[in-house]
Amino acid sequence: WLIRTVSRHYFSGASPSAARPPQVHLPYSDARWWVVPSYDDLLVTNAEGSAVTLHRRDRALFRAGMWRSIRNFRRIRNEWSTLSARYRSALDDLTSVESWRRVFDAD
């Protein structure tokens, strides 16, 4: 599924019918991560049923996002030992009640 879906999104543009109204309208409960990529465009109702979101497949946006994700993954992987050491040394500050108080009392 993953290889087929990524290949379709990466190598092929949306079908010409994508210029027409959305192919399907799904309720929030049916719009699972493995269902949405099956369509070139669709409407998804929000959880409250008070609004909808248009999801339209955009090959250029998909490609840019995929390469950005790959670059970020490589960067994290390459800097992991430094990052983990920094987080480990800051653990007490990150998890302290005072730090969380500063975050939530920022208003």
Side-chain angles (χ1 to χ4, degrees), residues 85-95:
R86 286 176 59 194
Y87 273 100
R88 219 174 280 115
S89 68
L91 182 66
D92 292 337
D93 184 49
L94 291 172
T95 59

Side-chain angles (χ1 to χ4, degrees), residues 53-101:
T53 303
L54 173 64
H55 293 261
R56 181 158 283 156
R57 185 159 68 95
D58 182 333
R59 182 172 54 175
L61 188 62
F62 176 80
R63 286 178 172 185
M66 188 178 81
W67 287 114
R68 187 172 51 248
S69 295
I70 290 169
R71 280 192 306 273
N72 287 337
F73 172 78
R74 286 180 178 162
R75 181 177 174 210
I76 290 170
R77 184 188 61 198
N78 292 337
E79 298 175 11
W80 184 253
S81 59
T82 305
L83 284 171
S84 62
R86 286 176 59 194
Y87 273 100
R88 219 174 280 115
S89 68
L91 182 66
D92 292 337
D93 184 49
L94 291 172
T95 59
S96 72
V97 173
E98 183 55 37
S99 290
W100 286 101
R101 187 173 288 121

